[in-house]
Structure formats: structure tokens, C-alpha cells
Amino acid sequence: EKSPCHGDAAGAKDGSAFRLVKEYQRSAAGRGSVPAQDLRPPAVLLSTVRYLFIRVLARSDVPRWEVYQFVSSRCRAVLQDLIIQGLPCPASIPILEAVVRFHLLMAYELCEEPPENFNPRLNAERIQNCFADLLPLYKKAPLSSRCQDVEPAVVAAAVDGGVSVHTDGLCAECRCELEAAVLIQSEDSFAGLSRAFLLPSSVRSSQSVRCAVQLAHAIQDGNFVRFVRVSRLASPLLLCALHPSLLLLRRNALRTLNSAYASRNAVFPLRVLVQWLAADSQSQVELWCRDMGIAVSDGSVLFNKSSAAPASASVRAPQKAQLLISSALPP
């Protein structure tokens, strides 16, 4: 059955606008090897990725989650063809860069979708798999030769209400931004910072990596105010990479403030807390406080150590951060 994502939005009647893109098929016992004529060479795979991100991802007549599922399946098929051909080589870099950017950006755009439409865990797993293949290739391909010899990468850029795609031949900048995203998404901030200091000097001194290092230090120190200030300098992609851990960071900040400002008599202005946490509204912060057992009354927060919820308390489903992230995305 043909997906509604096949073909261009214009819908040419003669079928010339339709492109049937190979979907992902899981390996199964008893299935023979893929015939050589069914494997697409790197140049064709890159053209496929460009078509998916420039034509299909721009569709506005199909729900975004359905576009995501279609493109994600075809990207898996692209990577599958690379693996079967044993092609983790410099020619794979622009393809892997484009696919990992797609998953990072869609992780933010679809974060409020129900689980049946978007699985954040599966999306995060695909991000990590792409990075696992991409980072070793970065070590083998010097920045200077990549910029001269490798075709321009497809670069996805998040926009409010959708994702647009353009091409960018500055491969060195692509690497710097993705190295920064790896650092931000590292579960062990110390290990991430240690790895950052081992990067080539041209990458380590880039604005993206320097911004990511400052953000990692702010997270380590538990300084959320500094974290918010530095995040204003981050690229849209880096902001999307930050998003999955943003709610947990805010909860940790609230826990720290609850210990620092706990008092039986004094209250803390809610409007100040909204500014410090870069929240979208006072009602949003009230919800976070109540989730943690912190009372809010008449525009004031009543910090109290004895009533705060334990650190193991469940975390709400992620929501878009309009002020901190959405407002920074390109129009």
C-alpha cells in the first residue's frame, strides 16, 4: 500500500512527481542475502536522503508524525544499504550527518505526540547508533580533505511548526555542531568533557563546542541560571539536543532552590522563579512545584525541605520549551 508521503505535494497526475523510496526491512532467518542490484551506491543514497529531507519532509498536507515515520523508515533502509556494502567510510559522513540531524530535530518537534505516533526512546537509540558510526569516521577524515573531497551534506534546520532543509558545504562546521551535540547528550558529563578536550584544536575552539562545554560545566555545577544564559548562544540543533534533559535539569534546579531558600516565614516570588527557570508561564512553574511537593500560593512559592518530593519521583512527559527553544529556531 502506497503511503500518502509518496509523491510531491503538488500531486502530478501523470505520476512523474512520485518517487518510490525503498523502505526498511528487518533481517529475518531464512531470508537470503540482498541481491547486488538492489543495493544503492553512496551517491544514490545521498540523493535519496536529499529527496527525503528536501521534498518529503517539507510536506504540510500530511501529519508531521506520519511524515516522520515514513522518512525514518527510509533512512534506516539507507543506513542498512551502507552497512551491507561495508561502507563506513568518508563517503558515508554526509549521509550519517543528515540522518542524525533529522532525528535530533524531530525529537523536539514531536515530543508532545502520543507514544503510538512517536517513540522517543527508539528515536534516541537511532541517534546513538548514528553517532557510534559517525564519530570514528571523523577521526579518519581530516577536516581539510572532507571540505574539499566530500559532497556537501544535507543539513536539516528546525523551524517553528516544521522542519526545513537546505544544503551546506561547510563540513567542518557540521562536525563541530554534532560533536557539541554528543557532549550535551552524554549521560556522563565528566566523560563528555574529557572527550571534548581530546578533539582537534580547530573543533575544540569552535563556537558550538565551546558553548557545549560551558553548558556541561553549568550542569555539573548545578547552576541553572548560568545554563539558561549560555543556552542563548546555542545553535537550534544544540538546543534540540538539550531538550530531552531540560525538564530533569529544571527539577534539579528547583530541588536546589528548595534547600537554599527553605523557610517557615519567608516566601519566594513566583515571577522570579519563572525568569530563573526560563519557563513559558507561571502556571507551568506552579505545576512543576506541585509535582515536587512545593506549595504555591498567591504568586509566591513556599519552599520547605520536609515537603519536597524525593529525587526518584516520576518526571512528567516532555513539553516544548517555547521561550528557551522554539523562539530561537529559525522562522
Side-chain angles (χ1 to χ4, degrees):
E1 181 179 356
K2 184 175 71 66
S3 165
C5 291
H6 275 301
D8 297 333
K13 294 181 179 180
D14 61 1
S16 61
F18 290 90
R19 305 287 187 270
L20 298 179
V21 186
K22 180 180 176 182
E23 68 176 344
Y24 174 77
Q25 289 187 331
R26 188 182 301 275
S27 300
R31 180 181 296 173
S33 59
V34 180
Q37 63 268 23
D38 290 345
L39 294 175
R40 296 163 290 182
V44 175
L45 293 174
L46 184 58
S47 297
T48 301
V49 168
R50 284 195 173 119
Y51 168 74
L52 289 171
F53 293 167
I54 294 174
R55 303 299 290 271
V56 179
L57 205 56
R59 296 283 295 271
S60 57
D61 59 323
V62 181
R64 294 301 293 170
W65 63 265
E66 192 168 351
V67 174
Y68 164 81
Q69 291 182 359
F70 178 90
V71 174
S72 179
S73 171
R74 274 63 187 178
C75 285
R76 291 188 75 187
V78 165
L79 299 180
Q80 188 179 51
D81 277 10
L82 280 176
I83 293 171
I84 292 174
Q85 296 174 81
L87 286 173
C89 62
S92 309
I93 291 177
I95 298 171
L96 289 166
E97 286 178 333
V99 173
V100 75
R101 283 172 175 270
F102 161 73
H103 284 294
L104 283 168
L105 296 165
M106 297 306 282
Y108 177 71
E109 185 175 346
L110 300 179
C111 68
E112 296 178 354
E113 288 287 338
E116 60 269 22
N117 292 345
F118 176 71
N119 187 330
R121 290 181 179 273
L122 183 58
N123 189 74
E125 181 181 326
R126 292 174 183 172
I127 290 172
Q128 296 307 315
N129 290 340
C130 283
F131 278 139
D133 291 332
L134 183 59
L135 297 182
L137 294 177
Y138 279 152
K139 294 181 180 179
K140 298 177 182 178
L143 291 174
S144 58
S145 66
R146 286 190 58 227
C147 291
Q148 295 170 6
D149 301 335
V150 179
E151 278 196 78
V154 175
V155 180
V159 298
D160 190 19
V163 174
S164 64
V165 183
H166 58 90
T167 59
D168 191 340
L170 300 177
C171 296
E173 293 185 7
C174 291
R175 175 181 178 179
C176 294
E177 196 170 30
L178 290 176
E179 292 279 13
V182 172
L183 171 57
I184 287 300
Q185 293 214 320
S186 175
E187 294 183 359
D188 185 346
S189 58
F190 180 79
L193 286 169
S194 299
R195 184 183 178 280
F197 289 123
L198 297 176
L199 293 172
S201 59
S202 58
V203 177
R204 192 171 62 249
S205 61
S206 68
Q207 180 178 350
S208 294
V209 174
R210 285 189 286 112
C211 180
V213 168
Q214 292 182 56
L215 288 168
H217 279 304
I219 294 171
Q220 267 193 339
D221 298 339
N223 190 334
F224 194 81
V225 174
R226 182 182 168 205
F227 171 86
V228 170
R229 185 173 66 250
V230 176
S231 68
R232 309 290 189 194
L233 307 175
S235 68
L237 186 77
L238 197 54
L239 288 172
C240 292
L242 280 170
H243 181 253
S245 56
L246 184 58
L247 183 57
L248 183 59
L249 291 173
R250 280 171 164 156
R251 285 172 63 90
N252 291 339
L254 269 175
R255 189 169 290 108
T256 300
L257 291 170
N258 188 57
S259 297
Y261 290 94
S263 173
R264 293 182 179 179
N265 302 317
V267 295
F268 193 92
L270 180 60
R271 58 179 178 78
V272 175
L273 195 57
V274 171
Q275 294 175 0
W276 284 9
L277 297 179
D280 296 329
S281 64
Q282 289 192 4
S283 60
Q284 191 177 49
V285 176
E286 286 184 31
L287 196 61
W288 298 338
C289 288
R290 292 197 173 99
D291 284 347
M292 296 186 62
I294 300 172
V296 179
S297 177
D298 297 328
S300 299
V301 181
L302 288 71
F303 287 126
N304 188 329
K305 293 181 182 180
S306 61
S307 62
S312 58
S314 59
V315 179
R316 283 181 175 270
Q319 292 181 318
K320 287 187 176 180
Q322 299 295 333
L323 179 64
L324 193 60
I325 299 179
S326 296
S327 62
L329 302 183

